[in-house]
Amino acid sequence: MLRYALIFFIVAIIAAIFGFGGIAAGAASIARILFFIFVVLFLISLVSGLLKR
């Protein structure tokens, strides 16, 4: 999932360089959502791993 967030972030940067503002904004928002989902899942797995010990 973090890989997809990085891919969308790179697409957003490239689209912004070439002047495609709408595509850049859409890709950046998708990257941001995927990154936050990754962080939440990471924290859940971290807490569950600590509770199992």
Side-chain angles (χ1 to χ4, degrees):
M1 184 170 303
L2 187 59
R3 181 183 314 168
Y4 291 129
L6 288 174
I7 290 170
F8 277 110
F9 180 69
I10 291 170
V11 168
I13 290 174
I14 292 171
I17 288 172
F18 289 119
F20 299 110
I23 296 172
S29 65
I30 291 171
R32 185 179 307 130
I33 290 169
L34 288 176
F35 178 74
F36 285 127
I37 290 172
F38 170 77
V39 169
V40 168
L41 291 176
F42 173 74
L43 290 176
I44 289 172
S45 67
L46 184 69
V47 168
S48 67
L50 290 175
L51 292 178
K52 284 187 177 182
R53 291 185 178 188

